[in-house]
Amino acid sequence: MNRDRIRLIALDMDGTITQHRTPLEPDNRAALDALSERYRLVIVGAGACRRIHGQLNGYPMDVIGNYGMEAGEYDREKGELVIVESQTVTVEPRDAVLERAARLRREFGMETFAGDSVEFHASGMITFPLLGTRAAIADKLVFDPDRSRRRPLYPAVKEAFSQYTVFLGGSSSFDIVPRPFDKLYALTRYCARHGIAPDEVVFFGDDYLEGGNDRQVYESGIAFVPVDDYRAFPQRIREVL
Ligand SMILES: [Mg+2]
């Protein structure tokens, strides 16, 4: 990677700069500060922009949410994130989705869950949380830290939701995303909007294996720095500083 050409650092959030669903910690905040002295920063996330911005304690940077269905730009004068794009794509009625989720739960032996079986986002994105929408964060974190429980189930979820792109999302869920949205599509559009070329971008992500939500970026040829533990992020940024 040619450091002199880098203009944009694009980052996954959960698992890369934070623990899943957990606020940004001081060491990683300092690492973002160091990066932002030299580069433009953007989060390319799976969650909604406002949730991401909140989890980062309002860190001043742009946020792409829901795999590109939503985009927020940080307004330095106002000191707030402004949502500049918000798309809604509904592929099919909720009943059809719920029915397929119920069938998968029977197949997987995962018919007990807390809260709802499926979470429908305003954008049209769907989350299929194996432990349910109201499971405790502690239970979610221990459920499948190395993704070995979800990997064998992934082909069945992918097949059941073949009109969508399916990812192993969060710590114990599948993200079911209307086409053509994914992080590569989102990042490409962001770059086009800001006149940034793909070879001027470096992406940091943790979920780059098959089914992971950073996979498309990883395979695209965009410079990619794998972060296998978010606590190692301050060390990983040395590659670009
Ligand atoms: Mg991640």
Side-chain angles (χ1 to χ4, degrees), residues 36 109 160 232:
S36 70

Side-chain angles (χ1 to χ4, degrees), residues 12-16 20 147 183 206-207 213-214:
D12 166 57
M13 179 177 66
D14 278 345
T16 298
H20 287 267
R147 303 166 181 105
K183 291 191 183 185
D206 72 315
D207 238 341
N213 64 20
D214 302 318

Side-chain angles (χ1 to χ4, degrees), residues 35-148:
L35 287 171
S36 70
E37 277 176 32
R38 291 176 68 156
Y39 309 114
R40 182 182 189 120
L41 307 184
V42 63
I43 295 285
V44 189
C49 288
R50 296 228 179 269
R51 184 178 78 72
I52 291 171
H53 189 64
Q55 188 173 327
L56 298 176
N57 306 314
Y59 195 88
M61 66 173 147
D62 294 346
V63 178
I64 299 168
N66 287 352
Y67 297 96
M69 304 186 78
E70 201 182 43
E73 297 199 350
Y74 190 78
D75 183 325
R76 285 176 192 278
E77 269 169 37
K78 288 187 197 151
E80 63 181 36
L81 189 75
V82 179
I83 303 298
V84 294
E85 205 179 271
S86 181
Q87 307 210 32
T88 301
V89 182
T90 302
V91 176
E92 60 185 328
R94 290 186 176 199
D95 283 355
V97 172
L98 287 168
E99 224 169 83
R100 252 172 298 144
R103 174 171 63 73
L104 288 169
R105 285 188 180 282
R106 280 195 298 279
E107 276 176 38
F108 299 163
M110 300 229 39
E111 289 175 273
T112 308
F113 51 88
D116 296 327
S117 172
V118 171
E119 183 179 357
F120 294 93
H121 301 270
S123 60
M125 183 183 138
I126 298 162
T127 303
F128 181 30
L130 291 172
L131 301 180
T133 53
R134 292 202 179 276
I137 180 78
D139 293 340
K140 293 200 243 181
L141 290 177
V142 297
F143 176 73
D144 189 23
D146 62 0
R147 303 166 181 105
S148 61

